[in-house]
Amino acid sequence: MNLHSSLFTYRANFLFRGLPVFRLFRKPWCMTSQDSFMAAAIEEARKGRAAGGIPIGSVLVLDGEIIGRGHNRRVQDGSVIHHAEMNCLENAGRLPASVYRRCTLYSTLSPCPMCSGAVLLYGIRRIVVGENETFCGPETYLRSQGVEVEVLQDPQCIRIMRDFIEQEPALWNEDIGE
């Protein structure tokens, strides 16, 4: 069995001109490392919301291991800077630039200009974004600076943010500076 067949399955999804059309689906029981890292970021987002904050989470990954975790703590700490990505970097601790350059940052929401600036400052070369429908940071600028930005449009991430924005529009607008 090859990797492809172990991760995916083909299913006849519908008929076209009387013939079955097969589509590729990820097997639900099979989680890739990227999925597990985004799941950890989602877990952080839920922790933040459970503590009365804004549900955005982030993890910093080096060589397949999470070395930092964080969630938006602006409300809990009365902080102007503790967005999820900033909190994650703070929790990872002081690291040499050579380490940051090998890291991938996972965030449930597209990083804002401040967090994107930290990515550039520390030389993080890859960001995996859960979603950018409810808010889109300067992804184009990051890409122009050589950062690989992958956007998943993860349904959980979208739902978490849409529910929060509906429940707390004033707090959300404060967080994004509106």
Side-chain angles (χ1 to χ4, degrees), residues 2-152:
N2 64 32
L3 178 64
H4 186 265
S5 65
S6 67
L7 293 176
F8 298 94
T9 186
Y10 289 95
R11 275 198 304 229
N13 198 33
F14 58 93
L15 294 178
F16 178 73
R17 295 185 181 168
L19 298 172
V21 175
F22 290 90
R23 291 181 61 195
L24 186 64
F25 293 90
R26 185 187 304 254
K27 292 181 179 178
W29 49 264
C30 187
M31 183 178 274
T32 66
S33 60
Q34 178 168 293
D35 295 335
S36 66
F37 298 139
M38 186 52 68
I42 291 169
E43 177 185 321
E44 286 295 323
R46 289 191 170 125
K47 282 183 192 176
R49 186 65 184 134
I54 298 162
I56 304 168
S58 184
V59 296
L60 187 65
V61 176
L62 173 68
D63 300 331
E65 297 292 326
I66 295 174
I67 63 169
R69 296 172 166 263
H71 51 269
N72 188 304
R73 295 197 48 86
R74 289 187 67 248
V75 173
Q76 299 92 316
D77 296 345
S79 170
V80 297
I81 62 166
H82 266 201
H83 284 195
E85 299 87 349
M86 302 297 277
N87 185 248
C88 174
L89 292 171
E90 176 76 14
N91 291 336
R94 187 174 163 196
L95 301 168
S98 61
V99 171
Y100 289 114
R101 283 191 295 269
R102 295 176 22 228
C103 287
T104 298
L105 182 68
Y106 288 77
S107 182
T108 58
L109 186 65
S110 182
C112 74
M114 176 181 65
C115 298
S116 295
V119 165
L120 294 174
L121 177 67
Y122 293 112
I124 297 170
R125 295 183 176 159
R126 183 168 182 255
I127 304 172
V128 178
V129 175
E131 67 103 348
N132 67 0
E133 287 185 11
T134 58
F135 175 83
C136 188
E139 294 172 7
T140 302
Y141 180 70
L142 285 167
R143 287 183 181 103
S144 77
Q145 299 301 304
V147 177
E148 178 188 345
V149 179
E150 180 180 352
V151 181
L152 304 178

